[in-house]
Amino acid sequence: MPGTSDRERARDPAEGRRRRSAARRGAALPVVHFHRPTERPFTASQRESTTILIGGLSPRHDKLVEAAIQAMGCRCQALPNVTMESYTAGREFGNNGLCNPTYFTVGNLVKFLQDREAEGMSKEAIVDTYVFLTAGSCGTCRFGMYESQYRLALENAGFHGFRVVLFGTDDGIDQSSGEAAGLDLSLDFFLGLITAFDLADVLNQYTYRLRPYEVVPGSVDEVTSRVVAHLYELVRNRDRFELEDHWTRLAVGTRLEGAVRYIAKILHLTRSDQFTGAMREARDAYDQLEFDPFRVRPVVKVMGEFWAQTTEGPGNFHIHRFLEQEGAEVYVDRSLFTRLSYMLFMHREKTRDRRGLRQDEGRLAHYLRYYRKMGLLGLADRLLHRENRRLIEALGGTLHEMLDQSELELLARPYWNWRTTSGEGHLEIAENIYYHTHHLCHMVLSLKPFTCMPSTQSDGVQVRVVEDHPGMIFLPIETSGDGEVIAHSRVQMALGSARAKARKEMDDIVAASPWTLDEIKEWADDHPHVKRPSYRVPHAPGVVGRAANLALHISGLMGARTPARPVTREAHRV
Ligand code: SF4
């Protein structure tokens, strides 16, 4: 059949009959290779009329990523947060036996498109005017199948030919038409994306940290919404460095042009005050709110599978809100930056493993390439840490630094070989040990999506980790579309122990202090700056809770009680 592809031939019933008859006769069968279906490209000329859909992170991440893509001159829209209807759509149109995040994210896209159709748009118009952008991977867990699951569910829902664009690999971005790509995956694009991740990570963590202590319910969320709206505009109109606008134009047309352009753009980002300035304004806005930092809250570190710990909604049983309602403080890490740092670490270690394995190259060339790659990966990681630290400092410097991946790997090493990848790899083990041994939380809650193979492996190992660390409270929860009540009641039971730990810690500190808790609180009322969220309370060794650390710190500031001349409140007034 001249002019037909292998794929079409394989589907042709006549071809099927020919192959079966050839098989009966024992004749050699022609090889029919599988090829990924070629998709209609998303080209630069379609930018004006096409909207890029994104989603799958926390609402704040999605919003700022939307701004970063709009900054590249594209129309972009973040999908609404996932709902139970998304899950149902995922189950209906996706394959059987997928992990929980796949059902929610795939179903959310289908649901969004169905809603457009219900509003009166034709399927053809939807397929023409929307594309979906997602990260691609080759596995080894089901993440490698997300792309095909999106395509399958879209086909099943009747959106034939809907375009799924991948970044992380070249697929879907290489334009077979020869036209420029609709989304320019330039350094500017990635710098914008990284900035959005960084801002959302820090803001998420700060919001969770403050909410349990707000006096006016909803006041922290209200400020966070305003900050996100402001950052949205900043990211959208981000200052960009152009080689031609500076003395660096001397490099234009020379062999160094590419390298100078890259270095200058990165240096410009690392020296810009655009976002640190916005974070300082955010810090001042949060400082205006009223807080009661003496509320005794057990600190619960939420970790686990990437999507399950990042999403806010039914995908993880609304676990962040639930914990807060139960009187806990939620501790989340920088979800995206930790992930990026982990990926750089893995890349470095894999490169180290291949050191000395030469392929058609001389010894000198091999080692030059090796050291160059290791140097660049190390530099990229240092830049991530530096940029994150700058934002934290601007926000008051009260958040914990990003964790060092080499230290995490060392902690996990007795239990987990880092080469066992997929999912979170050794991260869950390492973080559990790190947060416990550094007294950063009273309890660790690990979210495991239903049927997630890497999480199941990690859970098995955690049994041994808990055995080796007396006093560790570790609770794994399996997240699926249903079973919310059971999950919540398990959390409540574990929280009882964490609450008792936090209470005892506070009682011990007050008992050892020469001052009563009421006197400490009175002193704080007279020195309101210590109750501001940006006030840096030292982390005392072995003390986890915010209230306990603050009470200990203030007790130290108040000094020893002298019975002959009791210290009055006025004597301490600053
Ligand atoms: S880590 Fe687990 S939940 Fe996440 S994509 Fe892989 S299999 Fe699914």
Side-chain angles (χ1 to χ4, degrees):
M1 286 186 290
T4 52
S5 67
D6 287 347
R7 185 179 164 80
E8 284 162 345
R9 266 201 301 279
R11 283 183 168 175
D12 180 23
E15 174 69 10
R17 279 195 297 279
R18 264 194 299 279
R19 289 170 66 79
R20 279 193 295 278
S21 125
R24 275 196 297 275
R25 282 183 277 112
L29 296 173
V31 177
V32 179
H33 292 289
F34 171 79
H35 292 282
R36 270 185 56 204
T38 315
E39 215 168 52
R40 204 156 50 90
F42 168 42
T43 61
S45 60
Q46 298 164 358
R47 249 181 231 159
E48 289 290 301
S49 57
T50 308
T51 302
I52 300 173
L53 299 173
I54 52 154
L57 301 172
S58 79
R60 286 172 279 278
H61 283 95
D62 282 345
K63 199 72 199 149
L64 295 181
V65 170
E66 177 187 298
I69 294 177
Q70 287 192 3
M72 299 304 295
C74 297
R75 293 161 62 127
C76 179
Q77 185 180 349
L79 290 174
N81 204 10
V82 295
T83 59
M84 280 311 288
E85 285 174 312
S86 321
Y87 176 72
T88 314
R91 294 294 298 251
E92 184 180 350
F93 298 109
N95 250 335
N96 285 333
L98 296 177
C99 55
N100 187 40
T102 326
Y103 285 132
F104 271 103
T105 51
V106 168
N108 203 33
L109 174 61
V110 171
K111 173 82 184 35
F112 175 84
L113 301 182
Q114 285 177 331
D115 287 349
R116 300 292 75 73
E117 200 183 358
E119 285 167 8
M121 260 181 111
S122 69
K123 277 206 164 85
E124 293 69 32
I126 291 172
V127 169
D128 268 352
T129 51
Y130 287 106
V131 299
F132 182 65
L133 177 69
T134 185
S137 154
C138 63
T140 50
C141 72
R142 290 193 189 88
F143 188 50
M145 294 153 54
Y146 270 38
E147 175 208 356
S148 56
Q149 290 309 316
Y150 278 118
R151 292 183 205 280
L152 178 78
L154 289 164
E155 278 288 317
N156 290 345
F159 297 99
H160 308 293
F162 189 92
R163 287 162 293 173
V164 177
V165 180
L166 290 191
F167 72 90
T169 72
D170 285 339
D171 303 324
I173 293 295
D174 278 351
Q175 304 296 306
S176 52
S177 64
E179 265 194 70
L183 181 60
D184 178 17
L185 294 190
S186 60
L187 180 64
D188 277 325
F189 168 73
F190 285 107
L191 291 181
L193 212 55
I194 283 175
T195 304
F197 289 164
D198 197 8
L199 291 165
D201 273 359
V202 171
L203 217 50
N204 257 1
Q205 198 177 12
Y206 205 54
T207 302
Y208 285 130
R209 180 176 183 156
L210 301 191
R211 260 194 329 221
Y213 305 98
E214 66 188 4
V215 171
V216 180
S219 54
V220 170
D221 278 342
E222 200 264 322
V223 171
T224 301
S225 303
R226 274 193 280 130
V227 172
V228 171
H230 178 52
L231 291 174
Y232 184 88
E233 290 307 321
L234 281 185
V235 173
R236 209 156 152 237
N237 304 301
R238 185 169 70 83
D239 290 343
R240 281 198 241 162
F241 182 90
E242 296 304 340
L243 206 60
E244 292 74 9
D245 298 343
H246 303 267
W247 63 267
T248 43
R249 74 178 73 90
L250 294 174
V252 174
T254 69
R255 282 175 57 199
L256 293 176
E257 179 179 341
V260 173
R261 195 180 291 276
Y262 261 64
I263 294 169
K265 278 181 185 287
I266 292 172
L267 281 181
H268 176 75
L269 178 76
T270 58
R271 292 169 57 194
S272 162
D273 194 33
Q274 201 179 10
F275 298 106
T276 42
M279 279 303 187
R280 279 192 291 275
E281 286 172 28
R283 176 200 62 198
D284 294 343
Y286 287 116
D287 275 355
Q288 301 298 317
L289 303 179
E290 200 184 339
F291 291 95
D292 176 6
F294 289 103
R295 290 177 186 163
V296 178
R297 302 283 196 223
V299 181
V300 179
K301 166 79 177 93
V302 174
M303 62 172 212
E305 192 270 342
F306 174 76
W307 185 82
Q309 62 167 304
T310 311
T311 188
E312 293 178 1
N316 59 12
F317 303 137
H318 304 91
I319 209 72
H320 303 100
R321 285 283 177 192
F322 177 73
L323 284 166
E324 286 175 6
Q325 280 162 18
E326 290 297 310
E329 176 192 327
V330 173
Y331 191 128
V332 293
D333 214 339
R334 259 78 76 181
S335 37
L336 266 296
F337 259 44
T338 303
R339 188 79 208 174
L340 291 177
S341 182
Y342 168 73
M343 283 158 62
L344 288 170
F345 169 82
M346 295 297 276
H347 218 71
R348 259 196 335 265
E349 293 310 302
K350 284 178 189 166
T351 306
R352 206 191 304 277
D353 265 1
R354 300 187 64 79
R355 184 170 181 251
L357 298 177
R358 288 185 278 142
Q359 284 177 336
D360 307 329
E361 60 185 348
R363 193 180 165 81
L364 181 65
H366 170 77
Y367 280 102
L368 281 178
R369 195 168 53 78
Y370 168 79
Y371 285 115
R372 180 171 169 272
K373 189 169 178 184
M374 290 295 277
L376 285 175
L377 289 169
L379 186 65
D381 193 41
R382 274 201 289 281
L383 278 174
L384 284 186
H385 280 257
R386 181 183 183 278
E387 284 308 287
N388 196 255
R389 201 177 308 120
R390 284 208 312 149
L391 289 190
I392 292 171
E393 281 300 317
L395 202 52
T398 55
L399 296 178
H400 196 273
E401 280 241 358
M402 252 175 87
L403 306 188
D404 174 32
Q405 291 294 325
S406 303
E407 185 182 349
L408 290 180
E409 192 276 316
L410 271 179
L411 287 174
R413 197 176 288 177
Y415 307 94
W416 190 283
N417 188 320
W418 65 265
R419 292 175 189 84
T420 314
T421 54
S422 86
E424 305 310 299
H426 62 268
L427 269 189
E428 289 188 34
I429 308 291
E431 287 187 2
N432 192 14
I433 300 172
Y434 184 92
Y435 285 97
H436 174 73
T437 53
H438 286 75
H439 304 287
L440 290 170
C441 68
H442 294 103
M443 162 181 159
V444 170
L445 176 66
S446 185
L447 298 165
K448 321 269 166 188
F450 178 61
T451 80
C452 172
M453 183 270 290
S455 292
T456 310
Q457 283 177 316
S458 170
D459 255 11
V461 178
Q462 295 282 19
V463 175
R464 178 66 197 272
V465 174
V466 173
E467 245 179 52
D468 290 351
H469 295 84
M472 179 183 267
I473 305 179
F474 173 78
L475 178 71
I477 288 285
E478 192 174 70
T479 58
S480 62
D482 32 48
E484 182 163 330
V485 175
I486 298 171
H488 283 180
S489 81
R490 288 192 61 214
V491 173
Q492 274 169 330
M493 279 193 276
L495 256 184
S497 313
R499 215 178 273 123
K501 243 177 154 183
R503 185 75 261 166
K504 180 170 184 318
E505 193 180 69
M506 183 69 167
D507 290 346
D508 288 351
I509 279 167
V510 175
S513 165
W515 307 94
T516 65
L517 183 57
D518 284 341
E519 285 169 326
I520 291 172
K521 284 183 178 176
E522 260 181 45
W523 193 93
D525 287 342
D526 289 343
H527 304 79
H529 65 284
V530 299
K531 291 166 80 175
R532 284 187 203 136
S534 65
Y535 182 74
R536 297 187 196 206
V537 179
H539 181 204
V543 182
V544 177
R546 310 259 173 257
N549 271 302
L550 182 62
L552 184 63
H553 174 61
I554 292 180
S555 179
L557 291 178
M558 290 171 79
R561 184 190 283 277
T562 41
R565 290 179 54 209
V567 181
T568 62
R569 281 165 55 172
E570 282 68 28
H572 284 291
R573 201 158 275 151
V574 175

